[in-house]
Amino acid sequence: MIGKLKGTIDEIGEDHVVLDVHGVGYVAHCSARTLGKLGSAGEAAVLFIETYVREDQFRLFGFLTALEREWFRLLQSVQGVGSKVALAVLSTLTPGELANAIALQDKTAVSRAPGVGPKVAVRIMTELRNKAPAFSGEAGASIGLKQELGEGVASAPVSDAVSALTNLGYSRDQAANAIAAALKNGGEGADSAKLIRLGLKELSR
């Protein structure tokens, strides 16, 4: 099994990169996001690798971070999601954005990925809901609150504050991040008016 490759970029294709490692060219299929962050031909690159061995094929999938690779694995544990759809999701959403969308039960965000219809989006959110917090990366600070909002069990002041901010034109994710920060600064017992005020202060930074 190959877990990681470090070498020189030989060529970047539409859905893959050829990485030269000591004279051997490895073809690694990547998300559009990963390909966009790689350098140009001749530059050094490091990829975390997921190896697929089948009777009729041997394929490598490359990722810039171990977290992105974990999400690739997680997504394929969902019924109806294969490697192509998993890469499409990771091309559309970062691991943090995906964790947020699952926590908030944001079907629209997940179904933005090519090949992901409403039914598959719901399956992704349902089956990965309890696993998302462990793989939320930079979204970890507010993921618990977002899960409460997504499941409809957040306190009334929190729900009202998030609703007020979304009515002002902020996305649910932006509103939830702001209110999570407001709770940290204003205390758990703050009423909705205080949370809204602190949330707006966070958003204006």
Side-chain angles (χ1 to χ4, degrees), residues 45 69 84 87 113 121 123 130 134-135 137 187:
R69 181 176 63 186
K84 185 176 180 180
L87 282 182
R123 276 206 299 271
N130 294 327
F135 301 96

Side-chain angles (χ1 to χ4, degrees), residues 10 38 43 51 83 100 113 120 128 152 154 158 183 189:
D10 192 59
L38 288 173
E43 292 185 28
T51 308
S83 59
N100 283 339
V120 173
L128 300 184
V158 167
L183 279 169

Side-chain angles (χ1 to χ4, degrees), residues 4-23:
K4 188 177 180 181
L5 288 175
K6 183 178 183 180
T8 305
I9 297 170
D10 192 59
E11 147 196 341
I12 294 181
E14 189 177 323
D15 64 350
H16 68 277
V17 61
V18 178
L19 201 62
D20 186 315
V21 182
H22 303 304

Side-chain angles (χ1 to χ4, degrees), residues 184-203:
K184 191 175 178 182
N185 297 328
E188 294 291 332
D191 61 19
S192 58
K194 185 176 182 181
L195 289 176
I196 292 167
R197 188 170 66 253
L198 290 171
L200 286 169
K201 192 175 178 181
E202 291 291 330
L203 289 164

Side-chain angles (χ1 to χ4, degrees), residues 39-57:
S40 305
E43 292 185 28
V46 177
L47 289 174
F48 291 88
I49 299 295
E50 180 74 357
T51 308
Y52 271 28
V53 181
R54 300 286 185 272
E55 282 186 21
D56 57 343
Q57 65 175 338

